[in-house]
Amino acid sequence: MSLTITPILAFNDNYIWTLINDKNKQAIVVDPGQSQPVIEYLQQNGLELTAIWITHHHNDHVGGVAELREMYPMTHVVAGTEHGVSPDQVVNESSSVRAWGYGAQVWAVPGHTKSHLAYIFDNNEDTKHVFCGDALFSAGCGRVFTGTMEQLYDSLKRFSKLPEDTLFYPAHEYTASNLKFGLSIEPNNKQIQQTLVEVEALNQQGKPSLPVTLAHEKQVNVFLRTSEESVIDGVKAKVDLADTKPLTVFTALRELKDTF
């Protein structure tokens, strides 16, 4: 199967990731917060929408589902029970979804919201493709709303155990601002410095900084680097830590980012 994965831009900085089967011109979209950009993209490229995958209930991820269902009545909506979209297929931890003969494992990755899911798509190639919504961003992670700090920490830790070449497809173009926060913690991190230059150049050209590999994130994402001395020292310079356990450092980082 020839597969293309491309982002459709919605709102200011949302990406609606679109999986396209180039052979039969079918498409799956992830988290369509708006319907119009999706409809325009599908029409321009002669594509038929066959499925929608949802990671969580926030309106900028589900707002377009109803209209897309009207426009493409055969569309199969995959979501959790708490995602507010009346799914055709209810999924949760350890569910799986089929796409053109291939599978996506569904993981519960709470934290940003308590019912947040991720889709680990494997089309029998070496590389896994992770549609992670707002759980993990490049150089960052989601705010904690209805989940807990500990849940989000555990979710990111679980992601970090995937193969190094795993590709992550976050739902927002927040990379540059996340990298700037990272530099406020690790000012001497050469990889963050270099990536920021590259990402700002991409942003100026209107190009996405995503997807990103896990190996890359382990070098530039302070939320995955909570055991590194440089990160611990950077946090200590800003707040008093009760201890330097990874969860304590992670919680301090997330609170610092909330007001950055």
Side-chain angles (χ1 to χ4, degrees), residues 65-81:
V65 172
E67 277 180 43
L68 288 171
R69 260 186 163 145
E70 271 180 41
M71 189 88 179
Y72 303 93
M74 299 305 288
T75 297
H76 185 74
V77 178
V78 178
T81 51

Side-chain angles (χ1 to χ4, degrees), residues 26-29 42 47-53 65-78 87-89 98 100:
Q26 291 182 340
I28 295 167
V29 296
L42 295 172
L47 299 170
E48 174 200 0
L49 185 65
T50 56
I52 295 169
W53 297 351
V65 172
E67 277 180 43
L68 288 171
R69 260 186 163 145
E70 271 180 41
M71 189 88 179
Y72 303 93
M74 299 305 288
T75 297
H76 185 74
V77 178
V78 178
D88 300 299
Q89 181 182 352
R98 301 302 289 170
W100 308 303

